[in-house]
């Protein structure tokens, strides 16, 4: 069997002809396997959706309970047959419930990474390399210039600033699914015990994380506090709130933003970020190349990012490689258009 007989690009996204289903389709399809809950991978309207329990629950929170005609939850490592194709889900380490999709038929194994990172994250199951013949890898940070620092050390920068400027509010921008909860957990790991103040948009997903056993300590909604009365506090908000009238209610705030893109100083300046924190939920260059090697793949397909550099890296190491050139529609909210 050729790899293209098991998985191939299509106008609606990656399609499995043998099983008649799509993986993270960019348009509505009869049957979809979804890697995680960000809206550039998960959308409403599919006929049947297979994903981890957490991803299905997060999709319901974000898209409404009737986001698909039917839902099927699958535990990590549990195989299921779809049209003669054996499908299983494996941890991707991106956000809670995120998964790689393993497809096998007639001895051929293809793994679709979805979004992933290979560094520890207290809020989700660690990335698990899966041996395969063909690996479909994301490449959000697929350039050698992107080498992310230790996330705990970046959080230490935030806490040092809080100690240095106790009269100012630290307004921290973080994507609502995954990044915000990871930062809360990392802040608590650094023994910061004061309340964390949250924009209301973060509450539903954060509450869900807490229901899955995550302890974020004392959280207080900003809506219940006079914003000008928060000197020395850490306030966490989604990116869209950082530039609207809501953010202007704080007295002399220090604007912070957590993203792998904060490695690029021009991006920080464009956003007006005073304290950039390089904290990413995607693998950096070393994470991408190391993870690809760990799969033992003979062929690499690259998507979602800087495809050409990773293709060149693979080919220089005698791994067949090609860019997929998939074009996804713009996400339906800012948390996913740039969830790095």
């Amino acid at each position: 069997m050729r790899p293209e007989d098991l998985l191939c690009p299509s106008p609606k996204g990656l399609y499995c002809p043998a099983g008649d289903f799509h993986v993270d389709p960019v348009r509505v399809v009869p049957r979809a396997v979804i890697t995680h809950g960000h809206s550039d991978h998960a959308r409403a309207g599919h006929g049947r959706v297979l994903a981890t329990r957490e991803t299905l629950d997060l999709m319901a929170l974000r898209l409404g309970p009737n986001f698909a005609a039917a839902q099927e939850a699958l535990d990590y490592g549990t195989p299921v047959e779809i049209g003669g194709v054996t499908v299983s889900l494996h941890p991707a380490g991106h956000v809670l419930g995120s998964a790689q999709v393993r497809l096998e038929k007639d001895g051929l194994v293809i793994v679709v990474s979805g979004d992933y990172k290979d560094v520890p994250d207290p809020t989700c199951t660690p990335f698990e390399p899966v041996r395969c013949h063909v690996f479909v890898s994301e490449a959000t940070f697929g350039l050698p210039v992107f080498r992310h620092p230790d996330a705990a050390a970046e959080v230490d920068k935030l806490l040092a600033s809080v100690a240095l400027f106790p009269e100012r509010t630290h307004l921290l921008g973080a994507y609502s699914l995954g990044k915000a909860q990871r930062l809360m957990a990392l802040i608590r790991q650094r023994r910061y015990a004061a309340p964390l103040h949250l924009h209301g948009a973060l509450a539903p997903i954060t509450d869900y994380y807490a229901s899955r056993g995550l302890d974020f300590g004392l959280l207080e909604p900003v809506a219940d506090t006079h914003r000008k009365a928060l000197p020395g506090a850490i306030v966490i908000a989604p990116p869209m709130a950082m530039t609207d009238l809501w953010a202007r209610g704080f007295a002399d705030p220090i604007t912070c933003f957590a993203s792998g893109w904060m490695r690029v100083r021009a991006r920080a300046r464009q956003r007006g970020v005073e304290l950039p924190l390089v904290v990413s939920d995607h693998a950096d260059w070393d994470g991408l190349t190391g993870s690809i090697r760990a799969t033992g793949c003979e062929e690499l397909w690259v998507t979602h990012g800087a495809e050409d550099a990773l293709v060149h890296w693979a080919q220089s190491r005698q791994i067949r490689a090609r860019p997929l050139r998939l074009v996804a529609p713009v996400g339906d909210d800012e948390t996913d258009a740039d969830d790095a």
Side-chain angles (χ1 to χ4, degrees):
M1 168 176 278
R2 301 177 309 155
E4 293 79 7
D5 296 329
L6 183 55
L7 192 70
C8 61
S10 80
K12 294 184 177 181
L14 287 172
Y15 177 60
C16 176
D20 192 22
F21 61 86
H22 289 78
V23 178
D24 287 353
V26 299
R27 299 281 185 262
V28 171
V29 298
R31 181 154 195 162
V33 179
I34 303 299
T35 62
H36 67 283
H38 284 141
S39 68
D40 54 339
H41 294 256
R43 48 191 38 82
H46 300 310
R48 186 176 188 87
V49 169
L50 182 146
T52 64
R53 176 74 271 159
E54 292 86 353
T55 292
L56 293 174
D57 290 345
L58 289 165
M59 289 178 71
L61 277 176
R62 309 188 86 201
L63 303 172
N66 300 317
F67 66 84
Q71 304 175 30
E72 182 179 355
L74 192 63
D75 292 336
Y76 289 135
T78 301
V80 63
E81 294 289 324
I82 304 178
V85 177
T86 301
V87 178
S88 56
L89 304 178
H90 303 266
H94 179 55
V95 297
L96 183 64
S98 61
Q100 303 170 79
V101 180
R102 181 185 185 275
L103 312 176
E104 181 177 5
K105 184 175 175 61
D106 297 339
L108 176 65
V109 177
I110 297 179
V111 171
V112 181
S113 73
D115 290 341
Y116 67 99
K117 67 176 181 292
D118 64 330
V119 296
D121 179 341
T123 64
C124 64
T125 305
F127 173 79
E128 173 189 298
V130 181
R131 303 288 292 185
C132 56
H133 299 100
V134 179
F135 187 50
V136 183
S137 177
E138 64 129 317
T140 302
F141 292 106
L143 292 171
V145 68
F146 289 112
R147 288 181 164 88
H148 304 322
D150 177 62
E154 294 296 288
V155 168
D156 284 343
K157 292 180 184 178
L158 169 66
L159 299 182
S161 182
V162 171
L164 187 61
F165 300 103
E167 75 284 3
R168 301 180 68 185
T169 301
H170 282 68
L171 185 55
L172 174 58
Y175 303 109
S176 62
L177 170 52
K179 184 68 63 61
Q181 294 75 29
R182 183 185 180 198
L183 287 168
M184 293 176 212
L186 288 171
I187 289 169
R188 295 309 187 196
Q189 284 185 350
R190 309 314 279 179
R191 300 186 180 180
Y192 180 86
L196 295 173
H197 302 265
L198 304 187
H199 186 283
L202 300 181
I205 292 174
T206 301
D207 289 346
Y208 179 74
Y209 268 66
S211 77
R212 306 300 286 185
L214 277 300
D215 182 4
F216 300 119
L218 182 59
L219 305 177
E220 294 185 357
V222 173
D224 295 343
T225 310
H226 194 282
R227 277 171 279 176
K228 291 190 182 297
L230 289 173
I234 297 174
V235 177
I236 306 176
M240 65 178 179
M242 302 290 285
T243 56
D244 67 14
L245 291 174
W246 180 88
R248 300 177 192 175
F250 297 93
D252 194 21
I254 293 179
T255 303
C256 319
F257 195 79
S259 170
W261 296 116
M262 291 298 96
R263 171 67 77 187
V264 182
R265 291 177 183 240
R267 291 226 183 187
R269 287 195 298 268
Q270 287 167 2
R271 286 183 176 270
V273 175
E274 188 172 349
L275 179 60
L277 302 175
V278 185
V279 180
S280 177
D281 284 335
H282 294 257
D284 65 3
W285 176 259
D286 291 333
L288 290 167
T289 57
S291 299
I292 291 165
R293 282 193 294 261
T295 69
C297 66
E298 302 165 0
E299 188 167 345
L300 176 70
W301 298 353
V302 187
T303 187
H304 280 86
E307 301 177 356
D308 292 337
L310 207 52
V311 166
H312 175 75
W313 172 88
Q315 291 174 341
S316 70
R317 285 154 181 80
Q318 288 71 56
I319 300 172
R320 295 190 301 276
R322 66 182 178 108
L324 290 184
R325 310 290 191 209
L326 295 176
V327 179
V330 175
D332 57 13
D333 64 76
E334 44 70 39
T335 62
D336 301 332
D338 200 22
D339 68 327

